[in-house]
Amino acid sequence: MAGRDGIDQPWGTRTPYGPGGEWPVRVDRHLADGLAPADVDRWVRSAAVLHSNGDGLDIAVKDGEIVGVRGRADDRVNRGRLDPKDLFGWQANASADRLTTPLIRRDGELVEASWDEAMDRIVEHSKELLAEQGPSAIGFYTSGQLFAEEYYTLATIARAGLGTNHLDGNTRLCTATAAAALKESFGSDGQPASYTDVDHADVIALFGHNVAETQAVLWSRILDRLAGPNPPEILCVDPRDTPVARAATLHLAPLPGTNLALMNGLLHLIIADDRVDHEYVERCTVGYEDLKAMVAGYPPERVAGICGLTEAEIRAAARLLGSAGRLLCTVLQGFYQSHQAAAAAVQVNNLNLVRGMLGKPGAGVLQMNGQPTAQNTRECGADGDLTGFRNWANDGHVAELARLWNVEVSRIPHYGPPTHLMQLLRYAENGTLRFLWVSATNPAVSLPELRRIRSILAQERLFLVVQDAFRTETAELADVVLPAAIWGEKTGTFTNADRTVHLSEKAVEPPGQARPDLDILLDYARRMDFRDQDGAPLPPWHDAESAFEAWKRASAGRPCDYTGLSYEKLRATSGVQWPCTGEHPDGTERLYTDGEFFAQPDHCESYGRDLITGAPVEPGEYRAMNPDGKAMLKAAEYLEPHESPDETFPFALITGRTIYHFHTRTKTARAPELQAAAPESWVEVSDGDAKRLGLHEGDRAAITTPRGEVRARVRVGGIREGVLFIPFHYGYFDTDDPAGHEGGRAANELTMTDWDPVSKQPLFKTAAARIRGLDALGGAR
Amino acid sequence: MKLGLAIRELHRSETALAKDLLKVADRHAVEHEVHHVAHDLARWSHAHLRDLADAGRHYDVHLSGDAPVPSAPLTALRTTASELTGRRPEPGLVLLADLRRLHRKAAGVSLDWELLAQGAQAVKDTDLLALATRCHPQTLRQLKWTNAMLKILSPQILAS
Ligand code: SF4
């Protein structure tokens, strides 16, 4: 065990292993300069919070401060490894610019205030709006970075306390499509596969998933398989030349916006070559004939034209997928944030279903998450779903929640699907939503078309509460800012992309007057005096563990069943996969092993949506289509993207992330090693395009779309011709325009307001752009 | 035989629906989902018009297969008006009214497809029946979409 250079060797050294073998342990560690393990006072149990991989780790504490981290050798997820953000990101906790007191806006300025003053303002405002307009005036926008206990509390307050339908998480822009695709195919959210499938797979296909940068430790696992005997073959679908693409057996770089056409083409060939597991399809699915009819219209010659690929490439990919004995498919933002997101992600599910590649070692689908606690936002119902993967269109499920919270059914809004973020913002824009409470997220940098977002959030008539650890770009626009404790300063649980639950314990005190999000929410509930039917305080719990026990009861009998878990068990075992029940006390490695799904009409989380229009399927229709709750093969036709390159804007622009940063750099820019590794935004231009336009490595360039312009340094290569890439992390808090009123830096100045009608995930990878070089003074060349 | 008339009538109602989808899309450019999806759904109607023009030929009915285009200055006007009023809550009622009208138009088209399918069966025109079988479900999906958008958007508009 040793410290390691996490920047130059983000994946560390290889520990090769073969198919079916156990992934060897390799423990990574990083301690503050000059400290040795013997200097550490305590190691406190936690897991990684700067991505979704869920790497188990211990936080090193000395003299009441966090001084480092070490991977947990006994954790099923990482077996000791840590990624660069884990190694260095903890330093952000101790930044000098943490928020330490509440702020309120007075005469246009944010000034320090007491907790009482700040909370009184919020409560006063809430009560006024409730009296004037009712709960439809109030909305919440939360995160993928809080803990399960906090989301469940927030969901209880919003749904049963206030009775508002307006609650969503920033998982909307990250993994809403993962959840939607799972609901469309399997009737409910819930990751089918497990990371251990990497140990067994003979083909791993990554669709729009740059795992090397988004889940670095999972990539280490794949690299170790590649370095061992009988390595798997890798298929990479990505317009960029990523580390995954370079390690792949086959790399397809389709034009942005054409994923669905490609998937339809691959399914076309798999069916045409009869690579179908007919027994599985017959026994476990509905919809095969419709799928077959739809993809019949996508022969390789047509798909090649749409996607800008050769027929040979498409055929080779279909052969690889069709001949796999153990096929693991993974999907992320390249699909989720692109045109026809949900339909394309559903086609990946279909691929595994028609091949009968589900629920067996090495055979499965990972519809990935981006954020560390995104799964909890979804399962606790702090996003556009109801608590415990309950179905808003199923009156029985709503009644269950009413019993759980001991409130009248009518208190819980279920007249339509919970309001998704982009709609919430539209309501704020037209003035019908007048109170927005944002926790642990930074929409002023992370949402599309930032000029519009800023102008919505800055409105006088919108009361904006921001609860965060730092003075973000969004906080700059707030009426009240609440200082929050973060990871390492509070206790709670969270769940990674393969359903692994970790307990993260408090290691140190939060700075100044910062408080855990859970305490802030409970304080609000008490001050609002929310009550249940019998007059008892709502929610009745008072701390993290009692909230967890309440959440367990809410999850009982649902796909995400936590009833077999406890803090005690999570202190004994590093990482347990849900469902975990009395019957399966050690958790569940894979879902759907027996070809049974959570799709029965009375049980399913969703009746699904039309893949083109997004209209919810009616309960009766669902019952008729899928009476026995099988997996559903759904398909849709390819539509042209809503903005395509033309003469004025000849490039397709995509955005994405780098390994060294997370989200809007709120934490990672405050870790010196990470900040130094990627201090500035850049734009990737293909060799051919750069030559043609006279752009050179390191040049400054201006990139323009109909929404605005940003400036960035040119990186030549690494992307297909006709496409530009800009990382989306860079905002304004570290400039002299901290609210970003002037724009000019964040990639999202350029992106368009459009979202997938099924998952409601905003699209960040469909925009037409132009680029020009700038001279040293910033003028046009 | 009056099948030619039925085709002509369907072509008329489908044209009106296609036009109205685009009109609503542009009028509500700040309602992004309505805007984008209405444009997508107009493409279905346009494809139906092409197919109906082909089918009409067998019944001596001469119809245009071209998509009806809304006049450009008008579109720009609508979009600007939409952006100017985007900050006000009142257009919400206009949106509901527009979706309601679209819904009724789609319902009319759906009935026309049904009539056409019945007629096609009576005269045993399998091609025409196949056309109706292919296109009618898309009309039903347009119909469900307008219904769903009304259901989802109305509570906020009516409560505020
Ligand atoms: S960086 Fe990307 S993948 Fe990660 S949380 Fe943000 S949106 Fe999701």
Side-chain angles (χ1 to χ4, degrees):
Chain A
M1 174 169 97
R4 71 176 178 88
D5 183 347
I7 299 296
D8 291 338
Q9 298 174 45
W11 306 291
T13 47
R14 298 282 55 82
T15 48
Y17 70 123
E22 200 182 22
W23 191 25
V25 166
R26 183 197 85 198
V27 176
D28 295 335
R29 187 189 74 214
H30 179 71
L31 291 176
D33 258 359
L35 289 188
D39 301 324
V40 172
D41 297 340
R42 292 181 296 132
W43 293 95
V44 180
R45 181 186 290 271
S46 183
V49 282
L50 292 169
H51 49 77
S52 67
N53 210 51
D55 304 323
L57 58 81
D58 289 327
I59 302 173
V61 179
K62 182 180 168 51
D63 302 330
E65 307 242 329
I66 300 179
V67 292
V69 286
R70 150 184 98 183
R72 291 193 60 96
D74 63 345
D75 198 284
R76 60 171 300 279
V77 169
N78 54 322
R79 305 193 42 85
R81 290 159 190 80
L82 292 177
D83 101 333
K85 287 195 286 291
D86 304 337
L87 288 170
F88 305 114
W90 53 269
Q91 298 168 96
N93 281 52
S95 307
D97 61 348
R98 282 286 299 274
L99 285 169
T100 52
T101 83
L103 306 173
I104 58 178
R105 191 167 294 278
R106 204 171 269 145
D107 305 324
E109 295 290 312
L110 285 173
V111 296
E112 294 193 354
S114 69
W115 271 102
D116 275 336
E117 272 174 284
M119 292 307 285
D120 282 349
R121 267 206 190 191
I122 296 173
V123 167
E124 205 179 290
H125 231 87
S126 309
K127 288 188 172 163
E128 246 173 62
L129 288 173
L130 280 177
E132 222 178 279
Q133 179 181 329
S136 68
I138 300 177
F140 295 85
Y141 179 41
T142 189
S143 177
Q145 296 159 50
L146 301 184
F147 294 160
E149 293 78 355
E150 295 165 332
Y151 295 132
Y152 181 51
T153 303
L154 179 55
T156 308
I157 288 174
R159 310 285 191 221
L162 289 161
T164 178
N165 207 24
H166 306 327
L167 163 60
D168 201 3
N170 69 3
T171 47
R172 182 62 57 195
L173 58 96
C174 180
T175 60
T177 302
L182 294 170
K183 287 187 252 185
E184 291 302 326
S185 300
F186 309 114
S188 178
D189 196 345
Q191 188 69 276
S194 164
Y195 288 169
T196 46
D197 287 320
V198 169
D199 308 346
H200 302 276
D202 65 2
V203 173
I204 304 178
L206 301 105
F207 296 96
H209 181 198
N210 181 8
V211 62
E213 301 201 50
T214 56
Q215 290 88 11
V217 170
L218 186 59
W219 180 237
S220 296
R221 195 171 194 142
I222 296 175
L223 284 176
D224 286 347
R225 275 295 316 277
L226 290 175
N230 302 316
E233 297 196 86
I234 307 283
L235 170 66
C236 170
V237 175
D238 195 322
R240 292 175 69 211
D241 185 17
T242 61
V244 179
R246 289 191 288 276
T249 320
L250 184 63
H251 173 207
L252 300 189
L255 280 169
T258 65
N259 293 330
L260 181 60
L262 175 63
M263 293 312 300
N264 284 355
L266 294 175
L267 263 299
H268 173 104
L269 287 170
I270 295 222
I271 290 175
D273 298 344
D274 200 19
R275 293 293 185 167
V276 175
D277 182 340
H278 292 285
E279 187 278 328
Y280 187 87
V281 166
E282 179 66 25
R283 178 166 54 89
C284 300
T285 72
V286 294
Y288 180 68
E289 287 308 318
D290 289 342
L291 171 71
K292 190 173 162 183
M294 174 59 72
V295 301
Y298 292 83
E301 39 307 347
R302 177 175 177 217
V303 172
I306 297 172
C307 300
L309 297 169
T310 66
E311 262 185 73
E313 287 175 304
I314 298 167
R315 285 185 193 281
R319 259 199 310 278
L320 196 58
L321 296 165
S323 59
R326 291 165 186 267
L327 172 65
L328 176 63
C329 289
T330 77
V331 196
L332 195 63
Q333 307 309 13
F335 274 39
Y336 297 165
Q337 295 180 339
S338 192
H339 181 55
Q340 297 195 281
V346 160
Q347 280 293 35
V348 179
N349 294 340
N350 290 345
L351 185 62
N352 283 69
L353 283 167
V354 301
R355 297 234 48 233
M357 295 283 171
L358 205 67
K360 300 184 283 200
V365 183
L366 291 168
Q367 296 280 357
M368 291 300 292
N369 297 351
Q371 296 184 81
T373 78
Q375 190 59 50
N376 309 101
T377 319
R378 279 147 54 182
E379 66 204 22
C380 295
D383 64 345
D385 293 300
L386 291 188
T387 297
F389 294 156
R390 284 182 177 80
N391 188 341
W392 63 266
N394 181 334
D395 289 340
H397 286 194
V398 180
E400 266 173 37
L401 281 180
R403 274 197 300 281
L404 201 64
W405 292 329
N406 192 25
V407 297
E408 276 178 38
V409 176
S410 60
R411 182 93 77 93
I412 304 168
H414 58 285
Y415 44 75
T419 315
H420 62 90
L421 166 70
M422 299 306 283
Q423 190 63 50
L424 227 126
L425 285 170
R426 174 64 195 136
Y427 292 156
E429 184 175 38
N430 70 20
T432 63
L433 185 106
R434 295 148 72 188
F435 175 117
L436 183 63
W437 187 330
V438 175
S439 43
T441 188
N442 190 12
V445 178
S446 57
L447 292 180
E449 204 176 344
L450 284 180
R451 195 164 15 152
R452 170 174 180 262
I453 301 299
R454 280 191 296 269
S455 81
I456 293 173
L457 297 179
Q459 289 174 99
E460 194 87 26
R461 63 182 176 182
L462 177 72
F463 186 75
L464 180 66
V465 180
V466 171
Q467 176 174 327
D468 209 302
F470 295 97
R471 196 158 162 164
T472 61
E473 290 81 348
T474 308
E476 293 295 338
L477 306 173
D479 295 288
V480 176
V481 179
L482 304 174
I486 47 178
W487 170 90
E489 300 163 357
K490 58 180 186 178
T491 293
T493 51
F494 58 93
T495 307
N496 80 343
D498 87 336
R499 291 175 281 105
T500 306
V501 186
H502 286 102
L503 176 66
S504 178
E505 304 226 55
K506 178 173 171 176
V508 298
E509 288 301 324
Q513 300 175 40
R515 301 170 68 191
D517 299 83
L518 179 69
D519 294 10
I520 299 173
L521 293 168
L522 287 174
D523 185 15
Y524 174 70
R526 300 295 177 254
R527 287 175 196 254
M528 288 295 290
D529 198 27
F530 296 131
R531 300 273 166 177
D532 70 11
Q533 301 193 95
D534 299 322
L538 182 81
W541 50 89
H542 58 276
D543 65 359
E545 190 157 6
S546 56
F548 184 74
E549 290 300 316
W551 158 237
K552 276 164 61 179
R553 286 192 291 282
S555 74
R558 298 301 301 159
C560 51
D561 197 321
Y562 276 64
T563 48
L565 287 170
S566 62
Y567 276 20
E568 197 191 326
K569 182 179 272 182
L570 291 168
R571 284 189 180 114
T573 313
S574 190
V576 181
Q577 286 172 290
W578 67 244
C580 176
T581 59
E583 223 175 294
H584 300 281
D586 299 325
T588 308
E589 188 171 27
R590 294 179 185 85
L591 301 182
Y592 314 141
T593 47
D594 47 7
E596 300 273 323
F597 302 90
F598 303 130
Q600 300 82 357
D602 294 324
H603 192 62
C604 66
E605 179 185 10
S606 166
Y607 298 126
R609 289 176 181 269
D610 185 305
L611 288 185
I612 295 286
T613 71
V617 174
E618 294 292 328
E621 262 180 278
Y622 183 90
R623 223 170 258 284
M625 180 254 304
N626 193 17
D628 303 320
K630 296 185 176 187
M632 294 161 277
L633 296 166
K634 294 190 174 179
E637 73 260 36
Y638 164 75
L639 301 174
E640 268 171 47
H642 297 138
E643 184 169 291
S644 298
D646 57 17
E647 295 97 70
T648 331
F649 297 105
F651 286 90
L653 170 73
I654 55 178
T655 69
R657 103 177 178 199
T658 153
I659 186 167
Y660 303 112
H661 286 301
F662 176 58
H663 236 65
T664 61
R665 286 161 66 247
T666 314
K667 283 171 149 190
T668 51
R670 292 174 168 95
E673 294 84 352
L674 299 173
Q675 176 59 9
E680 260 308 319
S681 187
W682 74 87
V683 55
E684 276 172 29
V685 189
S686 74
D687 293 305
D689 290 326
K691 238 174 240 130
R692 202 164 42 77
L693 299 172
L695 293 168
H696 307 277
E697 184 80 19
D699 281 0
R700 304 250 309 145
I703 306 92
T704 315
T705 71
R707 271 79 49 197
E709 178 170 295
V710 302
R711 291 166 179 222
R713 295 239 174 244
V714 171
R715 283 193 192 174
V716 176
I719 195 160
R720 72 164 285 159
E721 280 200 12
V723 184
L724 303 174
F725 168 88
I726 308 181
F728 59 60
H729 306 290
Y730 299 87
Y732 304 97
F733 75 87
D734 50 350
T735 68
D736 39 15
D737 173 25
H741 291 298
E742 305 300 317
R745 190 188 197 198
N748 277 320
E749 305 291 346
L750 305 177
T751 45
M752 69 188 291
T753 306
D754 187 8
W755 58 84
D756 183 70
V758 179
S759 68
K760 316 298 180 189
Q761 181 154 352
L763 308 185
F764 296 92
K765 301 185 196 287
T766 310
R770 65 168 175 258
I771 182 170
R772 68 193 153 82
L774 299 172
D775 63 26
L777 297 172
R781 264 194 333 219
Chain B
M1 191 173 41
K2 306 190 182 56
L3 255 182
L5 270 181
I7 293 175
R8 190 185 290 284
E9 181 51 26
L10 175 51
H11 187 273
R12 194 200 54 78
S13 62
E14 186 82 78
T15 305
L17 174 61
K19 272 194 190 154
D20 207 27
L21 277 166
L22 294 181
K23 187 165 127 195
V24 171
D26 293 329
R27 186 177 340 204
H28 300 284
V30 289
E31 300 289 344
H32 295 89
E33 185 165 338
V34 171
H35 174 77
H36 288 301
V37 177
H39 269 288
D40 290 343
L41 297 191
R43 295 187 218 186
W44 282 347
S45 292
H46 294 157
H48 296 175
L49 290 176
R50 271 194 305 279
D51 289 345
L52 281 170
D54 286 346
R57 246 167 259 138
H58 302 290
Y59 291 89
D60 246 354
V61 182
H62 298 284
L63 299 166
S64 161
D66 296 338
V69 257
S71 77
L74 254 185
T75 311
L77 240 167
R78 278 191 203 111
T79 311
T80 325
S82 159
E83 272 151 17
L84 286 177
T85 56
R87 276 293 160 82
R88 307 185 48 81
E90 295 78 27
L93 291 175
V94 180
L95 176 63
L96 293 188
D98 280 354
L99 286 170
R100 187 172 179 279
R101 192 188 57 244
L102 262 186
H103 185 71
R104 288 174 52 217
K105 286 197 169 156
V109 175
S110 168
L111 288 175
D112 288 342
W113 279 116
E114 208 153 283
L115 294 181
L116 192 76
Q118 293 298 84
Q121 289 186 69
V123 304
K124 307 215 168 7
D125 182 338
T126 45
D127 289 345
L128 195 59
L129 182 60
L131 175 68
T133 316
R134 199 172 67 237
C135 298
H136 190 196
Q138 291 179 325
T139 309
L140 290 172
R141 289 164 74 188
Q142 292 170 323
L143 192 62
K144 281 182 199 153
W145 176 71
T146 47
N147 191 3
M149 288 317 275
L150 274 167
K151 219 171 137 178
I152 290 165
L153 295 174
S154 57
Q156 183 75 7
I157 293 169
L158 299 175
S160 59

